Amino acid sequence: MDSPLRLEVIVASVRPGRFAPVVADWFLRTARSDARFDVGVIDLLHIPLPTDLSETPEVAAYRERLAAAAAFVVVTSEYNHGYPASVKTALDTAKHEWRAKPIGFVGYGGLSGGLRAIEQLRQVVAEIHMVSIRESVSFHQAKRAFDADGETKDGAAIDAAQRMLGQLAWWGRHLRTARTTDPYPS
Ligand SMILES: Cc1cc2nc3c(=O)[nH]c(=O)nc-3n(C[C@H](O)[C@H](O)[C@H](O)COP(=O)(O)O)c2cc1C
């Protein structure tokens, strides 16, 4: 069997009192129970990335982590029909490290369930030569979708997470091989 794919889960919200950890922890438990992945977390609250895109030791370490990863998932809230600014900075802070790698999305929010944020992110990740995974996970009225233990009974989301991980593993595996045998033309 192939070695597990290094999957970095990027947590977007950096807001005080954010709901993000509930959604992110649920997804992390799901992903970590899947032997196809070796899962890490990049919580943007704890990784200071300058919005002016200047170079810092933290930026260098962040880019090294991206370079070592074979797949990504962004756990994103939706603010005013868009994605949080922290994610844009996170995407703009690297370049070659993203290329020819797959990225999936877990969105949450009020009425929209983060779907508008996700669709906007697809445009951005295409520009940085990533493959966006078709299946995405969405929680509308997110705070009602989880119980006090951080578990959800939202069958559609549970099913979507499994499908998304399956597609992410497929792309991750094939693109990892392809990057080695036939370097991506940039
Ligand atoms: C500034 C702001 C704008 C928001 N805009 C939307 C929106 O356009 N669509 C939506 O579904 N939810 C919206 N919400 C609700 C958030 O998605 C919801 O509060 C979510 O829990 C935020 O994630 P966080 O707590 O992890 O930061 C907004 C919340 C904030 C704070």
Side-chain angles (χ1 to χ4, degrees), residues 11-23 75-82 84 108-117 139-143:
V11 183
S13 173
V14 295
R15 225 168 49 88
R18 64 193 181 147
F19 189 66
V22 175
V23 184
V75 177
T76 186
S77 50
E78 178 172 309
Y79 301 149
N80 298 322
H81 295 200
Y108 62 96
L111 282 179
S112 82
L115 289 171
R116 289 175 289 222
F139 292 101
H140 69 97
Q141 303 289 10
K143 287 174 189 151

Side-chain angles (χ1 to χ4, degrees), residues 60-175:
Y62 167 72
R63 290 218 300 247
E64 272 181 35
R65 277 189 69 173
L66 301 184
F72 300 91
V73 168
V74 177
V75 177
T76 186
S77 50
E78 178 172 309
Y79 301 149
N80 298 322
H81 295 200
Y83 51 82
S86 53
V87 187
K88 189 62 163 59
T89 300
L91 292 169
D92 294 343
T93 291
K95 191 173 179 182
H96 297 277
E97 295 85 350
W98 299 119
R99 290 188 175 174
K101 295 179 183 177
I103 185 165
F105 302 103
V106 176
Y108 62 96
L111 282 179
S112 82
L115 289 171
R116 289 175 289 222
I118 290 172
E119 293 308 311
Q120 290 177 18
L121 279 167
R122 290 189 195 282
Q123 296 180 6
V124 178
V125 301
E127 178 59 17
I128 52 177
H129 302 253
M130 301 189 86
V131 175
S132 80
I133 298 303
R134 189 270 184 191
E135 207 76 39
S136 57
V137 183
S138 169
F139 292 101
H140 69 97
Q141 303 289 10
K143 287 174 189 151
R144 294 188 197 161
F146 291 87
D147 64 21
D149 297 323
E151 295 298 341
T152 184
K153 291 191 171 66
D154 184 332
I158 293 166
D159 184 53
Q162 294 303 328
R163 288 170 190 269
M164 191 248 273
L165 286 169
Q167 293 163 18
L168 193 67
W170 190 93
W171 280 107
R173 209 167 50 242
H174 289 291
L175 289 177

